Amino acid sequence: MFIIKYMFPVLLLLSAGNSYADFKKENIERFYKSIVSVRSTVPAEARTASSLGVRREGNGVAINENHILTIGYIVIESESIEIGLSDGRRLPAKLVGYDHTSGFGIIKSVIPLKMPHLQLGNSDNINSEQDLLILPSPNRGAGSIVRSVSRRPFTGWWEYFVENPIYTTPANGLWAGAPILTENGEIVGIGSLFVSESVPGVPSPGNMSVPINILKPILEDLISSGRRKSKIQPYLGISSDDSNDRIIVTRVSGGGPAFEAGIRPQDVIMTINGSQVSNLKSFYEKIWKSGEAGVTIKLSVLRKGKIMNFNVKTVDRMDYFVKPQSF
């Protein structure tokens, strides 16, 4: 990997397999003016403090004159948020909306600000072997020319599933909240995770990005109401592992629905509503097909050689979080 330096200053990391002919210097300089750094502080009593920390940092991108799109785990439950603009200014911001189903978060500057913004693209058009940009804030470090190498489902242990994320390589270490852009500056995804296999079955460090088309149906809800208004997934409050072809509960969120029902770490989930499950994808699908938040889920678990049955009354995850305290 080597570095191309543009005036701005702009640094782009480029692997030997990528071409940068379509990525014009003047366009990249323009794109950077819409990208911000994001810092947040979360109270120690926040639900996510133990897993995500109380000080978080990442990136965001302006999607209109007022609103900035980021990955939600940077800002959820925040008591303060700060954005860093491309001109060096740092301004207080507030959380506008969050959606756990997609993972997106929306923030805005507390001080009235008209930002140059980038357009939402069509993530369904992104296939493998396509060169893209991943651009963290220049305040944080170098952007990259990357290649989309696969589109396949992602299943997270924290009750999270994305049907068709964008996997890119090489990895950019500043992925969190960074926009994934076409050569024309259209946003097609938002950086979410580092992955060791961007190409399935092959050691290929890269990033997983949430596709932008998931945002489009809920964007107005997030801006106007702070959350999605329909298709609200039921939340149990457990973390699980299915690496050995069975679902083992690894963590139970204190005060959450599963905790209140009596589910404990090391329980092995055998059935959901009477149907056997052996992987997280099918587990989540059966939960979410049971109804929206508030529905009661029947879980059968194996604990120390004994089958036990529990009724878990689910909630909307937004009601479980500590409410935002930022401005």
Side-chain angles (χ1 to χ4, degrees):
M1 182 173 293
F2 55 94
I3 297 176
I4 300 174
K5 187 170 183 179
Y6 289 139
M7 298 299 292
F8 191 69
V10 174
L11 291 179
L12 282 183
L13 299 178
L14 177 66
S15 71
N18 294 108
S19 168
Y20 59 93
D22 293 330
F23 298 98
K24 298 179 180 179
K25 179 183 69 173
E26 59 270 23
N27 286 345
I28 294 173
E29 292 174 354
R30 175 172 58 86
F31 302 161
Y32 267 118
K33 294 179 181 179
S34 301
I35 298 170
V36 302
S37 61
V38 181
R39 293 178 180 173
S40 73
T41 302
V42 174
E45 67 272 17
R47 302 287 192 182
T48 56
S50 60
S51 57
L52 297 175
V54 296
R55 297 186 185 278
R56 305 172 191 172
E57 187 170 357
N59 313 279
V61 58
I63 55 173
N64 58 38
E65 289 185 343
N66 301 304
H67 295 99
I68 295 164
L69 176 64
T70 186
I71 200 69
Y73 59 71
I74 300 172
V75 291
I76 189 63
E77 298 189 293
S78 57
E79 62 183 2
S80 67
I81 301 172
E82 178 190 79
I83 58 173
L85 307 184
S86 61
D87 61 11
R89 286 181 294 165
R90 295 191 176 277
L91 302 175
K94 65 179 180 179
L95 179 62
V96 173
Y98 171 78
D99 177 55
H100 179 73
T101 301
S102 62
F104 288 125
I106 304 287
I107 61 177
K108 68 181 297 185
S109 172
V110 172
I111 299 171
L113 181 69
K114 290 187 176 181
M115 287 193 63
H117 58 278
L118 300 179
Q119 299 297 316
L120 304 185
N122 185 354
S123 54
D124 289 344
N125 289 341
I126 303 303
N127 299 305
S128 59
E129 302 303 314
Q130 181 170 348
D131 285 349
L132 300 166
L133 290 167
I134 179 168
L135 293 187
S137 165
N139 298 327
R140 302 189 67 232
S144 304
I145 295 178
V146 296
R147 178 157 293 175
S148 171
V149 289
S150 67
R151 304 292 302 269
R152 67 187 193 277
F154 174 85
T155 305
W157 43 261
W158 58 95
E159 295 186 54
Y160 183 68
F161 176 78
V162 183
E163 181 67 43
N164 197 30
I166 302 170
Y167 291 85
T168 56
T169 191
N172 187 301
L174 302 172
W175 70 83
I180 311 301
L181 307 176
T182 66
E183 69 272 15
N184 296 319
E186 293 182 333
I187 306 166
V188 293
I190 294 293
S192 178
L193 296 170
F194 168 84
V195 293
S196 58
E197 293 185 358
S198 55
V199 178
V202 179
S204 46
N207 299 119
M208 186 278 277
S209 300
V210 184
I212 204 66
N213 283 12
I214 299 178
L215 175 69
K216 294 175 182 178
I218 61 170
L219 178 56
E220 290 305 316
D221 284 351
L222 297 186
I223 290 175
S224 63
S225 302
R227 60 171 78 187
R228 67 166 57 227
K229 302 292 285 184
S230 62
K231 298 182 179 179
I232 302 170
Q233 293 175 345
Y235 175 64
L236 277 69
I238 61 173
S239 300
S240 309
D241 179 83
D242 65 354
S243 57
N244 294 314
D245 295 325
R246 59 179 188 168
I247 301 172
I248 301 176
V249 177
T250 57
R251 181 176 179 271
V252 182
S253 299
F259 180 89
E260 296 296 336
I263 303 295
R264 296 295 180 259
Q266 303 308 311
D267 284 349
V268 180
I269 298 173
M270 307 299 291
T271 68
I272 174 171
N273 294 334
S275 298
Q276 290 187 336
V277 288
S278 60
N279 61 70
L280 288 178
K281 182 176 184 294
S282 63
F283 178 54
Y284 294 157
E285 288 175 341
K286 290 181 186 299
I287 292 173
W288 297 333
K289 287 179 181 178
S290 299
E292 294 197 7
V295 67
T296 296
I297 303 294
K298 297 180 180 180
L299 292 183
S300 173
V301 307
L302 178 66
R303 181 186 296 173
K304 297 181 178 179
K306 181 181 178 180
I307 296 293
M308 305 179 69
N309 298 306
F310 299 92
N311 292 325
V312 183
K313 184 173 176 54
T314 62
V315 298
D316 179 349
R317 188 161 187 164
M318 285 294 288
D319 294 330
Y320 175 74
F321 286 135
V322 171
K323 297 299 182 290
Q325 300 176 36
S326 57
F327 295 96

